[in-house]
Each structure stands twice: as structure tokens, then as C-alpha cells.
């Protein structure tokens, strides 16, 4: 039962809301947890046991680390001098780090087995298959494992760093990891983001219901009117890539990027809206990514919760790890500050982008996707001082509007190229499509081939829908929050907008005869 | 504190560090600025900044950084 289906929106969600309101406040978290597991069973059946076991394991490891910490405090109280206290602390930290390692290893081990075992085994078999073969196993995919595993690892790391104490209530950890709107596509939250609100059992109220409802229908608008229609176009071109080249491949890359954005951000709107109905504020995942003026800025605006996770739990720990710091110190003396920064950046960025690529799935194209951004971001940073000097030398203002537009367009090219490989069926097909752009390039082929892949009606719906989404995003970027304005309007005006969006979805949504329900892309990761 | 402000000015001199309180939250200091900042802080103040300290609360303002440095020097 995906979160955009009628079953979820018209039956499951209202039923959970009614049940939530009917039970006593103290038991409301139980309704949310039961609903989360019920929804999970509809996707992954008995693998709900893995989700439950992950919660119990994460909870236990957190408590274990805290118990060692408490023992450390008791031992320190018996010490007479500062030096002794420090030695005791170091001793206990060693124990805690082993518990953390155990927790992270088990969690990531399961993720690795489910997502990557067959990919790795297949490639090893290609290399050494003549001598020995690793078995290829049939693995059932537990929905949302890439999302809830990162949440669990983040929780354990934060407990280890004493950013907050381990949660004593198993139900709270279990609900944090499995809250039903988030389980399919995230966003990846940190424990303090949602746990208190999930457990508080706040009664339903009109302000939250209005806000949540508007967010949900806005998400449906993006997904059903625009993204689902574009999916037919992109599926067709990517499925028949050999027949197309030049400008039509560029169109496919742009169309897929728009489809992915509207589908992913649309479903995140439904997720955030669903959470809001219960008074739970789920972190945002997008912030007008196409306004970014660099690839680095794009990743601060696109799938923000994933970027934040990698920054907090990979980039920073690697940056301040002993080997990187030692190298940095030596390099600063030997090669100067600039080269030390360049080297440290490479060392800290590489694991982030390798992991980002791998996180998206098992396949060379995902590894390539990660490395593509590693190279762009690394060189972007390395040439920054020279770029700034160049601006000064040429007497061009960095903030001049034409320069901003050029930077935005340059970022679009980077994004579209990346998504071309991301969507291609394999890395070799991605390259084939990429190189075919430069052969037989005629803008006119867009008009020639367009009727093959999309009807005039669909095209109009896509164009007008995209313009509406773009205007809303553009105004938000200028500081005008349309959603806030609608929610602040009088009831009749508010309902006019609600009806307008609902009727648009009913009239122009891609469903019914001739349309197939389109699965969520990120739910497959 | 003056030494810290000097380090920050070296990284980006377009920011008023005495008043800015969202250096991380508003991405004024990017990840690479942080790399340089950590090296400079460790070298200048003879402290060890470890992963546990890498939170926005510790780096959102010059005052918060200074507080962290003093705490690390005491330990």
C-alpha cells in the first residue's frame, strides 16, 4: 500500500487518524506503531520481523553504551586526581567504541547483504569464476531498509558521542525507525527530530489537519499530474534508446530529472503532510534544488536528509579522524595550507560520494554516479581560490545577475548529465546514450519524435503543471510562502484552493484507462 | 577570541562574525571552510577537536566556537 494510493489516502490514513484520536493519549504511540507495522506488512510481509529486530537491537546497543558510560562516571568519582580520571574515561571509551562498532557492523552488514551481496558475488565470480564460484542467493528486499538503517546508525553514533542519552523505552525507538509515512522514501530523520512528537500523543487539531491536508494534495498534484505523465515519456525513450540520439537524448535526461524531482519531492510532501496530521514535524528533504548555483549547493537543496546524514556521520568523522588530521598537519608544513586543504578534502569527500553512490543501489552506474559528483565537487573546491581571483581580475562581480544565471545553467547541465547515467539501464548504456547526444544533433528532432512518446494532452498537462510548480518554488525562493498564505486565508478562500488542487488532480491526474500506477523510484533504494 | 576572529576572517572576510549566529545552519561556513577552521583551531589553541564536537551548536557562531575551545582547553 504505497502512500499515494487511494487505499492509503482514503481508507488507511483516515482510519489511523480516527483510532489515534479515540484511544487515550498515553496509548496513541501504540496506534502509530501498530499502523506502521501493518503498512509495512503490506509491502514486505514477514520481513516486518527484521524491522522489529532492528529496533530491538538498536535500542539494546544504545542502552549498553549508556550503561558503560554510567559505570565510567562511578569509577571516576572514586579517582583522586584529574590524570586518573582521564585514564578511566579513555578506558571506558574504548569499551563503548567496541559496542558502537558491533552495532554499526550488524546494521550495515544486513544492509550490505540485502542490497549488495549478489552484485559483489556476481563480480567476484566474473573474476575468479574458473576456480571457485560464490553462490547467488534469492534475497527478499525489506522495504525502506536503506532509510531506517541510516537512522539507526545515526542514533547509535549520537548516543556514543553523548549528544543525547540512549532511549529507555523500546517503543519510542521502534516508532522512530518505522513511522509509516517515512518508511518508504524517508526523509532520514535524527532521533530528536521526530521521537518526542511521535510519542507525545498530541490530540488532532484543525491547524495541523489543514497544513497536512494541503501538503498532501500538493504532493499528489506534483506526482499524478506531472511526474506520472513524464514517466511514460522517459520509460519509452530509455527503453528504446538505440532509436534516438542528439537533442532527443538531452530531452530524455531533462525529462527524467524533472520526473524524479516531482515524484520524489511530491511523495515527500505526502510524507510530511501525513506526519503533520498527527502533529509530527518531519524534516524537509528539498529546497528548490534547481535554484542552486553549484553542484555543492544542489546537494544542500536536494535529498537534504541524505546529504546531512553523510555530512554528520561520514564527512565530519573522517575530517577529524587521526590519520586525516595527522596528514593535514604534515601537509600544511610541507606543502602549505592550500594543498593540505585540497588533500584533506579529497580524503573526506571520497568516502562520502562512494557511499552516496553505493547507497542508491548495487550497480556500476550508481558507483559512477557517486564518483561523478566526487570529481565535480572536489575540483569545484580545489579551483575556488583561482576562480575568485579570476572574477576580481576581470572586474566581474560574483553576485551580478547574469553570472548567477550562468552558474545556475551550468549546474543544470551537471545535474541532467548525472541523472542521464542514474536512469540508464546500465553504465554502458548510459555512456552510449551520452555519446549519442553529440551525433546527428538537430533541435528539430524533438518535434519530429515527440508525438511518438507523448500525446499533445499529456504534454500540455506536463508543461502547465511544471510552470505552476516552478512559480510556487520561485516565489518561495523570493521569500513568499504561498502555502503559508493559503493556510492563513479565510476558510472559504482556503477551500477554494483545496478544491482547485483536488479537481485538477481528478481531471488531469494520470490514472484510469490508459494509465498504470507508477511506483515510487526511491522506494526501490 | 581575537585570534579566532582572525582565523574566521581568513576563511571568509565577507561575514560579520561578531553578530552571525547561523554559520552552519545557513551554510555560510561550508564543509571545506570547516576543514580549514578545524586545522587552524587545533594549531592555534593546542586542542583536539573530535567527532563528538562536530555539531552546528558548536560552530554556528564565533562565540559558540570560543566556548568550545575554552572547554577543550580545560579538559
Amino acid at each position: 500500500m504505497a502512500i499515494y494510493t487511494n487505499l492509503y489516502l482514503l481508507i488507511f490514513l483516515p482510519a489511523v487518524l480516527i483510532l489515534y484520536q479515540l484511544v487515550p493519549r498515553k496509548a496513541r504511540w501504540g496506534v502509530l506503531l501498530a499502523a506502521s507495522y501493518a503498512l509495512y506488512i503490506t509491502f514486505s510481509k514477514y520481513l516486518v520481523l527484521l524491522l522489529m529486530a532492528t529496533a530491538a537491537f538498536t535500542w539494546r546497543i544504545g542502552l549498553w553504551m549508556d550503561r558503560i558510560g554510567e559505570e565510567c562516571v562511578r569509577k571516576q568519582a572514586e579517582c583522586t586526581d584529574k590524570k586518573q580520571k582521564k585514564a578511566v574515561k579513555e578506558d571506558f571509551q574504548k569499551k563503548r567504541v567496541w559496542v558502537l562498532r558491533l552495532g554499526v557492523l550488524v546494521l550495515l552488514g544486513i544492509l550490505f547483504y540485502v542490497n549488495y551481496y549478489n552484485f559483489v558475488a556476481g563480480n567476484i565470480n566474473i573474476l575468479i569464476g574458473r576456480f571457485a564460484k560464490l553462490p547467488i542467493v534469492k534475497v527478499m528486499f525489506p522495504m525502506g531498509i536503506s532509510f531506517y538503517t541510516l537512522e539507526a546508525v545515526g542514533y547509535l553514533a549520537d548516543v556514543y558521542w553523548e549528544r543525547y542519552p540512549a532511549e529507555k523505552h523500546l517503543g519510542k525507538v521502534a516508532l522512530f525507525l518505522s513511522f509509516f509515512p517515512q518508511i518508504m522514501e524517508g526523509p532520514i530523520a535524527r532521533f530528536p527530530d521526530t521521537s518526542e512528537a511521535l510519542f507525545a500523543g498530541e490530540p488532532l487539531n484543525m491547524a495541523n489537519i489543514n497544513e497536512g491536508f494541503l501538503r498532501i494534495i500538493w504532493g499528489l498534484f506534483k506526482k499524478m499530474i506531472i511526474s506520472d505523465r513524464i514517466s511514460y515519456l522517459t520509460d519509452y525513450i530509455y527503453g528504446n534508446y538505440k532509436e534516438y540520439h542528439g537533442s532527443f537524448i538531452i530531452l530524455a535526461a531533462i525529462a527524467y530529472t524533472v520526473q524524479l524531482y516531482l515524484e520524489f519531492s511530491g511523495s515527500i510532501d505526502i510524507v510530511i503532510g501525513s506526519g503533520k496530521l498527527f502533529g509530527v514535524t518531519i524534516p524537509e528533504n528539498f529546497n528548490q534544488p534547481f535554484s542552486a548555483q553549484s553542484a555543492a549547493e544542489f546537494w544542500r537543496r536536494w535529498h537534504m536528509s541524505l546529504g546531512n546524514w553523510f555530512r554528520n556521520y561520514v564527512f565530519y568523522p573522517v575530517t577529524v579522524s587521526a590519520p586525516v588530521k595527522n596528514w593535514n598537519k604534515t601537509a600544511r608544513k610541507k606543502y602549505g595550507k592550500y594543498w593540505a586543504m585540497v588533500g584533506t578534502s579529497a580524503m573526506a569527500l571520497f568516502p562520502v560520494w562512494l557511499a552516496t553512490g553505493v547507497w542508491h543501489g548495487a550497480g556500476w552506474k550508481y558507483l559512477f554516479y557517486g564518483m561523478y559528483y566526487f570529481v565535480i565537487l572536489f575540483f569545484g573546491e580545489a579551483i575556488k581560490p583561482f576562480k575568485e581571483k579570476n572574477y576580481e581580475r576581470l572586474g566581474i562581480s560574483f553576485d551580478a545577475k547574469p553570472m548567477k544565471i550562468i552558474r545556475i545553467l551550468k549546474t543544470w547541465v551537471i545535474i541532467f548529465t548525472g541523472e542521464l547515467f542514474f536512469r540508464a539501464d546500465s553504465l554502458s548504456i548510459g555512456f552510449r546514450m551520452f555519446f549519442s547526444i553529440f551525433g546527428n544533433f538537430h533541435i528539430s528532432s524533438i518535434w519530429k519524435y515527440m508525438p511518438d512518446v507523448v500525446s499533445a494532452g499529456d504534454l500540455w498537462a506536463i508543461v502547465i503543471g511544471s510552470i505552476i510548480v516552478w512559480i510556487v518554488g520561485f516565489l518561495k525562493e523570493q521569500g513568499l510562502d504561498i502555502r503559508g498564505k493559503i493556510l492563513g486565508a479565510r476558510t472559504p478562500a482556503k477551500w477554494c484552493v483545496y478544491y482547485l488542487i483536488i479537481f485538477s488532480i481528478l481531471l488531469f491526474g494520470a490514472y484510469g484507462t490508459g494509465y498504470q500506477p507508477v511506483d515510487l523510484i526511491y522506494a526501490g533504494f | 577570541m581575537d585570534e579566532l576572529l582572525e582565523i574566521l576572517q581568513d576563511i571568509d572576510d565577507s561575514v560579520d562574525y561578531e553578530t552571525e549566529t547561523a554559520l552552519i545552519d545557513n551554510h555560510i561556513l561550508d564543509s571545506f571552510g570547516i576543514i580549514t577552521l578545524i586545522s587552524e583551531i587545533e594549531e592555534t589553541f593546542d586542542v583536539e577537536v573530535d567527532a563528538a564536537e562536530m555539531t552546528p551548536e558548536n560552530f554556528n557562531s564565533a562565540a559558540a566556537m570560543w566556548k568550545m575551545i575554552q572547554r577543550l582547553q580545560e579538559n
Side-chain angles (χ1 to χ4, degrees):
Chain A
M1 190 200 326
I3 55 169
Y4 59 85
T5 57
N6 287 340
L7 191 60
Y8 173 85
L9 294 164
L10 302 178
I11 296 171
F12 181 82
L13 194 54
V16 178
L17 280 165
I18 293 168
L19 211 63
Y20 175 91
Q21 186 69 5
L22 285 178
V23 303
R25 189 170 177 162
K26 275 188 175 170
R28 283 178 180 154
W29 69 271
V31 171
L32 294 181
L33 186 61
S36 300
Y37 286 149
L39 187 102
Y40 197 81
I41 290 169
T42 67
F43 296 121
S44 298
K45 299 183 180 79
Y46 63 85
L47 287 176
V48 72
L49 295 173
L50 180 65
L51 178 61
M52 290 173 174
T54 303
F57 176 75
T58 306
W59 169 72
R60 200 71 221 142
I61 292 284
L63 286 181
W64 192 359
M65 281 191 287
D66 258 19
R67 218 179 47 222
I68 297 171
E70 284 162 14
E71 218 179 306
C72 173
V73 174
R74 269 199 301 277
K75 288 272 179 200
Q76 275 185 317
E78 292 166 14
C79 298
T80 45
D81 63 77
K82 219 175 167 182
K83 210 173 162 187
Q84 231 180 343
K85 275 186 184 177
K86 207 177 170 186
V88 169
K89 174 105 185 170
E90 275 171 16
D91 197 33
F92 276 91
Q93 272 307 85
K94 274 182 198 156
K95 287 183 192 169
R96 291 181 87 231
V97 86
W98 276 108
V99 177
L100 174 72
R101 281 175 190 159
L102 169 73
V104 172
L105 218 73
V106 169
L107 291 169
L108 293 184
I110 297 169
L111 179 67
F112 174 84
Y113 179 73
V114 168
N115 269 353
Y116 317 110
Y117 171 77
N118 280 341
F119 172 69
V120 173
N123 280 291
I124 290 175
N125 287 346
I126 292 169
L127 287 175
I128 59 156
R130 285 170 68 186
F131 311 105
K133 267 198 170 173
L134 288 171
I136 299 296
V137 289
K138 198 177 168 210
V139 188
M140 263 192 73
F141 182 72
M143 179 64 73
I145 189 168
S146 306
F147 295 96
Y148 71 69
T149 299
L150 294 196
E151 286 184 332
V153 170
Y155 167 79
L156 291 182
D158 284 347
V159 169
Y160 170 75
W161 286 322
E162 296 173 16
R163 287 178 179 157
Y164 43 80
E167 176 53 52
K168 292 192 170 58
H169 199 301
L170 170 61
K172 215 166 173 177
V173 177
L175 184 54
F176 161 67
L177 293 178
S178 63
F179 185 42
F180 64 87
Q182 273 172 280
I183 196 79
M184 273 182 97
E185 291 206 315
I188 301 155
R190 291 176 84 178
F191 190 66
D193 290 339
T194 55
S195 59
E196 285 307 319
L198 281 170
F199 219 67
E202 284 292 335
L204 305 180
N205 69 57
M206 274 322 283
N208 284 339
I209 288 175
N210 269 322
E211 198 177 333
F213 180 68
L214 180 61
R215 195 75 194 253
I216 289 172
I217 56 176
W218 180 237
L220 286 173
F221 179 93
K222 286 181 184 173
K223 175 167 165 50
M224 296 193 71
I225 297 182
I226 320 167
S227 170
D228 286 1
R229 275 203 165 79
I230 303 178
S231 79
Y232 295 101
L233 182 151
T234 49
D235 285 353
Y236 190 83
I237 305 177
Y238 277 89
N240 300 281
Y241 65 93
K242 284 179 189 165
E243 292 169 29
Y244 301 106
H245 40 72
S247 55
F248 218 63
I249 297 294
I250 296 177
L251 176 84
I254 296 172
Y256 177 68
T257 309
V258 176
Q259 175 200 343
L260 182 64
Y261 170 62
L262 293 173
E263 196 241 63
F264 194 13
S265 75
S267 48
I268 290 296
D269 285 330
I270 302 174
V271 170
I272 292 176
S274 300
K276 200 75 217 173
L277 297 174
F278 299 94
V280 180
T281 304
I282 295 170
E284 293 292 339
N285 221 18
F286 293 93
N287 180 23
Q288 283 74 251
F290 298 104
S291 306
Q293 294 178 39
S294 67
E297 192 189 347
F298 169 72
W299 278 99
R300 290 198 296 268
R301 291 167 171 267
W302 172 279
H303 205 173
M304 289 145 68
S305 65
L306 183 71
N308 288 341
W309 195 94
F310 280 117
R311 190 193 62 205
N312 291 330
Y313 303 109
V314 181
F315 184 83
Y316 286 158
V318 171
T319 304
V320 296
S321 65
V324 173
K325 270 195 204 172
N326 289 340
W327 186 90
N328 189 290
K329 269 180 201 162
T330 319
R332 278 162 79 90
K333 283 177 196 150
K334 234 174 162 178
Y335 310 110
K337 285 180 186 177
Y338 170 74
W339 289 108
M341 198 279 286
V342 168
T344 310
S345 302
M347 279 186 254
L349 277 178
F350 182 76
V352 168
W353 290 100
L354 180 69
T356 304
V358 168
W359 181 88
H360 281 92
W364 293 109
K365 66 170 183 175
Y366 294 118
L367 270 172
F368 176 82
Y369 182 71
M371 290 302 99
Y372 170 78
Y373 275 106
F374 164 67
V375 170
I376 289 170
L377 266 69
F378 171 66
F379 280 103
E381 203 49 42
I383 62 163
K384 208 170 162 184
F386 306 106
K387 219 162 65 181
E388 281 165 9
K389 270 186 196 159
N390 244 358
Y391 270 103
E392 270 175 41
R393 201 165 52 87
L394 296 169
I396 304 169
S397 162
F398 186 79
D399 293 322
K401 218 164 193 174
M403 297 314 295
K404 276 186 185 171
I405 293 168
I406 290 171
R407 284 197 296 271
I408 289 174
L409 293 176
K410 181 203 76 186
T411 309
W412 285 7
V413 173
I414 292 171
I415 301 166
F416 298 150
T417 309
E419 296 307 337
L420 173 75
F421 285 95
F422 188 83
R423 171 61 180 83
D425 287 342
S426 70
L427 184 58
S428 57
I429 293 175
F431 273 112
R432 192 178 162 149
M433 289 178 76
F434 178 72
F435 287 118
S436 74
I437 290 174
F438 306 101
N440 210 357
F441 190 96
H442 298 290
I443 287 287
S444 60
S445 57
I446 289 181
W447 315 120
K448 190 175 150 195
Y449 294 125
M450 192 67 97
D452 291 0
V453 293
V454 65
S455 71
D458 280 345
L459 191 61
W460 276 111
I462 291 167
V463 171
I464 294 172
S466 301
I467 290 173
I468 295 170
V469 173
W470 179 78
I471 291 172
V472 171
F474 178 79
L475 291 175
K476 197 177 170 207
E477 196 62 17
Q478 306 304 312
L480 186 66
D481 179 15
I482 297 276
R483 235 180 5 241
K485 290 262 178 227
I486 296 168
L487 291 169
R490 286 168 177 267
T491 307
K494 199 155 46 195
W495 275 96
C496 277
V497 179
Y498 291 172
Y499 278 127
L500 200 67
I501 300 175
I502 293 169
F503 281 120
S504 303
I505 298 165
L506 291 176
L507 287 172
F508 305 113
Y511 61 91
T513 316
Y515 293 103
Q516 295 287 326
V518 181
D519 288 338
L520 298 175
I521 299 166
Y522 263 73
F525 297 141
Chain B
M1 182 71 171
D2 288 342
E3 278 171 303
L4 175 65
L5 289 174
E6 249 175 66
I7 293 170
L8 289 165
Q9 291 289 346
D10 263 1
I11 295 170
D12 184 350
D13 59 4
S14 65
V15 183
D16 181 2
Y17 293 101
E18 307 224 17
T19 56
E20 184 55 62
T21 56
L23 289 168
I24 302 294
D25 293 344
N26 290 348
H27 303 288
I28 298 166
L29 261 183
D30 61 11
S31 306
F32 304 95
I34 291 277
I35 292 180
T36 314
L37 182 63
I38 301 290
S39 321
E40 293 286 350
I41 286 178
E42 291 197 338
E43 207 174 285
T44 314
F45 302 103
D46 194 28
V47 290
E48 284 276 329
V49 180
D50 63 23
E53 304 292 345
M54 302 303 287
T55 60
E57 297 80 50
N58 280 342
F59 289 91
N60 259 335
S61 68
M65 287 178 222
W66 183 238
K67 217 168 146 186
M68 175 191 75
I69 293 164
Q70 285 179 315
R71 180 166 44 80
L72 291 174
Q73 281 175 329
E74 275 168 26
N75 287 336

